[in-house]
Amino acid sequence: MNCPFCRSAETRVVDSRSTDDGTAIRRRRLCPSCSQRFTTVETMSMLVVKRSGVVEPFSREKVVAGVRKACQGRPVGEDDLALLAQQVEDQLRSTGQAAIASHDVGLAILGPLRILDEVAYLRFASVYRSFESLADFEAEITLLRAAAPDDAPLDLRSPRGGTSTTQTRTS
């Protein structure tokens, strides 16, 4: 690390602390040449490797933008989207890998999105998994119903995923 004051390449770390959210390390440094102190912040960069081979930095904003499309018209707020993006980032960082495949990012989104809103989950999964027919949707709905708790049957027509109170009328 070069000193920002005298450009000396020799600096010494005096103190290191983790930031409050734990995503960075703050280091207090001392330059032996000019005796000036300065602070550096080190963050772990996480890269996403796309199918095409292009590598780009992970972006919570891109996660939120993608999920926002799936949640359009659903009772999901911006705070919910921000929390979901944080959960996705935490899950990906916990792997300890510096480069994550874009496929893994999509898988990390599906879990929290399913809990947040099942209809948005189906929308996102249909694009992410490239559903091609009604049978793909039916298979996914069958999996959702099978995974639902016994005491709360899953009805995808209901906004909260519980039992629906819709009545059918025949003539």
Side-chain angles (χ1 to χ4, degrees):
M1 171 59 61
N2 291 335
C3 173
F5 303 103
C6 70
R7 300 286 179 217
S8 172
E10 300 296 320
T11 61
R12 186 169 60 99
V13 176
V14 178
D15 182 38
S16 292
R17 293 183 186 183
S18 162
T19 57
D20 290 336
D21 61 0
T23 60
I25 297 175
R26 181 180 169 267
R27 297 196 193 278
R28 195 73 182 132
R29 295 179 179 268
L30 173 69
C31 175
S33 300
C34 67
S35 299
Q36 293 286 329
R37 289 178 177 246
F38 60 99
T39 302
T40 58
V41 178
E42 298 175 18
T43 58
M44 181 181 97
S45 64
M46 190 166 51
L47 302 173
V48 176
V49 181
K50 296 190 164 201
R51 280 182 246 160
S52 65
V54 173
V55 178
E56 64 181 42
F58 174 82
S59 168
R60 268 194 224 171
E61 292 76 29
K62 287 185 88 170
V63 170
V64 169
V67 173
R68 184 181 289 124
K69 291 175 187 173
C71 293
Q72 194 169 9
R74 300 296 303 154
V76 176
E78 288 299 314
D79 291 343
D80 297 326
L81 295 176
L83 181 60
L84 182 137
Q86 179 64 50
Q87 291 171 337
V88 168
E89 183 175 359
D90 290 346
Q91 181 181 347
L92 294 172
R93 285 194 187 278
S94 71
T95 66
Q97 298 176 349
I100 307 287
S102 60
H103 177 77
D104 294 337
V105 175
L107 288 176
I109 291 170
L110 286 173
L113 183 56
R114 181 177 178 178
I115 294 166
L116 180 64
D117 188 279
E118 290 163 337
V119 173
Y121 166 83
L122 272 176
R123 289 175 179 172
F124 189 87
S126 71
V127 173
Y128 177 71
R129 293 185 178 152
S130 302
F131 287 6
E132 293 182 9
S133 69
L134 185 58
D136 294 334
F137 280 95
E138 288 172 342
E140 193 65 32
I141 290 170
T142 301
L143 288 174
L144 282 171
R145 284 189 174 136
D150 292 334
D151 59 338
L154 181 65
D155 186 341
L156 296 176
R157 293 170 291 175
S158 170
R160 298 210 189 280
T163 55
S164 176
T165 58
T166 306
Q167 295 179 355
T168 306
R169 189 173 170 194
T170 57
S171 37

